[in-house]
Amino acid sequence: MADYFSPTVIQQPIPIVDMTPLERLVLSHIFDAEADGETLYFHAADGPSNAIGLHRGKLQTALEASAGIVSTAATYVTDHLPAPPPDDATIEIDLSGTSWEFIFQDIVRRSSTLRYVTVVTSFTCSRMRPDGFGGMAELITADAILGKSTNDILEGFLAEMEEDAGDDGVHVLLRLCEDTVRRQVAQIIEADPALTRLTTDAVSAADVHAACLAVIACSDLSEEQGAAGFRAALAAIRHAEQRLASAG
């Protein structure tokens, strides 16, 4: 069995003054946080956590200290607190319904020093599988969250190569494009509001990339490829018949 990892670093030190106490608490559980003066450096050796456990007392203190500041972290955590609160000292928060990128975007929006945050992620695997390695880079600004994976780069290279090579007798029957998948995510969420509570922006580029890899890994299109080849062969015969008939 192969284990997949996504080591991630936030390249800019984040000023502590720009974070609400709740954002600092949540991000320090999603990532490892190293203090450097008045800033924190966030990183995750295996990948950002999708579920975190927060000490009940510390969470309550952070929520009270962050009151009055609108943020993704406050809205999401408040909406996902169990009711009534458990007696246990630790409260589990499932983060699969949001994305830590939005928390950093909130920080950039209110910061007087950060114009953007850049994120670099590696895709690695415990076994040398061809689909287990790669990476992506993200740019988080006050207005947008942009990302491009190594798969996107390779797709661009392949498209350029095909344009330069012209028609060499090889025809691409199917290509899974991450940009197309992202557009389909938006269409699906818009068409069926009951499907999920997520907004389109909550589905990150990393989510799309991981999903594409999973679909490719479990897909077998050999039957479709054979059927397409058979139909093309029949069409070639008919084309030849028509051409020869016209010539006669």
Side-chain angles (χ1 to χ4, degrees):
M1 178 177 177
D3 294 316
Y4 293 85
F5 307 99
S6 53
T8 301
V9 296
I10 309 301
Q11 293 188 307
Q12 287 72 29
I14 307 300
I16 294 174
V17 68
D18 290 337
M19 293 180 278
T20 68
L22 181 62
E23 288 171 339
R24 180 177 177 181
L25 178 66
V26 170
L27 287 174
S28 296
H29 282 75
I30 297 175
F31 297 88
D32 292 322
E34 293 183 16
D36 183 9
E38 298 301 315
T39 65
L40 290 179
Y41 166 52
F42 292 103
H43 56 88
D46 293 333
S49 299
N50 291 321
I52 59 176
L54 301 175
H55 185 274
R56 182 179 180 184
K58 292 181 179 179
L59 175 58
Q60 187 62 40
T61 299
L63 280 168
E64 292 173 356
S66 304
I69 302 177
V70 178
S71 69
T72 299
T75 300
Y76 188 84
V77 169
T78 301
D79 288 347
H80 288 77
L81 283 176
D87 294 331
D88 296 339
T90 300
I91 295 178
E92 299 292 333
I93 303 292
D94 180 1
L95 298 171
S96 59
T98 188
S99 177
W100 47 264
E101 285 96 339
F102 297 137
I103 300 178
F104 283 110
Q105 187 173 48
D106 287 341
I107 295 170
V108 171
R109 283 171 176 163
R110 74 172 71 97
S111 176
S112 61
T113 57
L114 286 174
R115 293 178 49 242
Y116 58 83
V117 168
T118 53
V119 187
V120 176
T121 300
S122 298
F123 301 132
T124 65
C125 184
S126 59
R127 300 181 65 181
M128 296 301 294
R129 291 191 170 178
D131 66 343
F133 297 87
M136 71 176 300
E138 293 179 87
L139 172 65
I140 301 173
T141 71
D143 302 316
I145 299 175
L146 306 175
K148 181 170 287 191
S149 69
T150 48
N151 187 65
D152 294 328
I153 296 172
L154 289 173
E155 288 288 348
F157 289 160
L158 289 171
E160 292 176 7
M161 181 184 70
E162 290 172 2
E163 290 176 2
D164 294 340
D167 188 357
D168 59 358
V170 177
H171 305 277
V172 177
L173 185 62
L174 177 65
R175 174 179 291 135
L176 186 59
C177 176
E178 294 187 9
D179 287 340
T180 300
V181 174
R182 286 200 62 81
R183 289 193 293 271
Q184 289 175 331
V185 166
Q187 293 168 3
I188 290 171
I189 292 177
E190 181 179 355
D192 187 2
L195 176 68
T196 178
R197 296 176 60 188
L198 296 181
T199 63
T200 300
D201 291 341
V203 182
S204 69
D207 296 325
V208 172
H209 179 77
C212 288
L213 291 180
V215 168
I216 292 170
C218 65
S219 298
D220 181 4
L221 301 179
S222 56
E223 182 176 345
E224 289 82 354
Q225 185 179 30
F230 182 75
R231 290 195 298 271
L234 289 178
I237 294 171
R238 299 291 179 262
H239 187 275
E241 289 175 340
Q242 294 171 4
R243 175 176 55 79
L244 294 173
S246 298

